[in-house]
Amino acid sequence: MIIMPDWVRNALIIKGKTEDIYEFCKNHIVWHRGTQNLHFDFNTVFSEPECEDECPDKFNRNKKKGWVTGRVIEGKEWYDWYDWRLTYWGSKWNSHFFTSNDFPNKEIEDIIKLNKTEIIIGYSTPYAPSWKIEEELFNRYPNLLMGLGFSSWGEFAGIFLQGGIYHMISVNDNEDLLSEC
């Protein structure tokens, strides 16, 4: 049995032409005011609803039947954020703890300046990898070769590659959890 970890470490590896990598970064790596650092923002892939009219009924607390998480976001009491994020992001929170050696000046333009044809974006997510985000990115950027490696700090690890190939193992007992597709 796998005990649920607190954080999953993700490494998104991207290879391709410098211009294509720059376009990807320009669209999905943003400046985070709180940390004063770059941030891989899931909202750039799937934006959370900003108002009740944008919210699908199945994530609208006022229209949804059945159980709804008890926690609400102030000003968005109508929004079942937990189910929405799990459905679209595969994670209950946005990415945290962004790391990459590919942005030495903390600027997206570093990709062009350094003529990068491969980058690695590191970040953490709670309890599970963000494979739904990567699945969407794989489809949006067919000119880039991408793969997601993930590890749960000693509980499980795996890879998710473009084309839907994935493999995950339990680190504790080497039990095969998912087979290649």
Side-chain angles (χ1 to χ4, degrees), residues 62-114:
N62 296 330
K63 297 178 183 176
K64 187 174 180 180
K65 293 185 166 91
W67 184 85
V68 178
T69 183
R71 299 185 67 182
V72 297
I73 296 173
E74 189 175 332
K76 290 187 174 183
E77 290 77 12
W78 46 265
Y79 175 45
D80 185 0
W81 62 269
Y82 184 83
D83 280 352
W84 187 96
R85 289 177 181 177
L86 288 181
T87 299
Y88 288 96
W89 296 351
S91 172
K92 71 177 187 175
W93 296 327
N94 208 329
S95 73
H96 284 64
F97 313 117
F98 176 90
T99 59
S100 181
N101 293 328
D102 295 306
F103 305 94
N105 299 313
K106 295 184 178 182
E107 298 174 355
I108 302 302
E109 289 71 26
D110 288 342
I111 299 299
I112 298 293
K113 292 175 191 172
L114 301 172

Side-chain angles (χ1 to χ4, degrees), residues 82-175:
Y82 184 83
D83 280 352
W84 187 96
R85 289 177 181 177
L86 288 181
T87 299
Y88 288 96
W89 296 351
S91 172
K92 71 177 187 175
W93 296 327
N94 208 329
S95 73
H96 284 64
F97 313 117
F98 176 90
T99 59
S100 181
N101 293 328
D102 295 306
F103 305 94
N105 299 313
K106 295 184 178 182
E107 298 174 355
I108 302 302
E109 289 71 26
D110 288 342
I111 299 299
I112 298 293
K113 292 175 191 172
L114 301 172
N115 200 29
K116 292 285 192 175
T117 58
E118 176 180 343
I119 65 169
I120 300 173
I121 298 170
Y123 59 94
S124 295
T125 50
Y127 304 112
S130 59
W131 62 271
K132 291 186 179 185
I133 292 292
E134 279 71 26
E135 186 173 53
E136 176 65 19
L137 293 173
F138 294 170
N139 291 325
R140 285 191 197 180
Y141 296 92
N143 293 337
L144 293 173
L145 180 60
M146 292 188 261
L148 176 70
F150 54 90
S151 169
S152 70
W153 307 103
E155 294 295 325
F156 62 86
I159 58 171
F160 183 57
L161 303 173
Q162 241 162 332
I165 299 170
Y166 55 91
H167 193 74
M168 190 165 84
I169 61 166
S170 167
V171 175
N172 289 338
D173 59 8
N174 207 24
E175 174 188 350

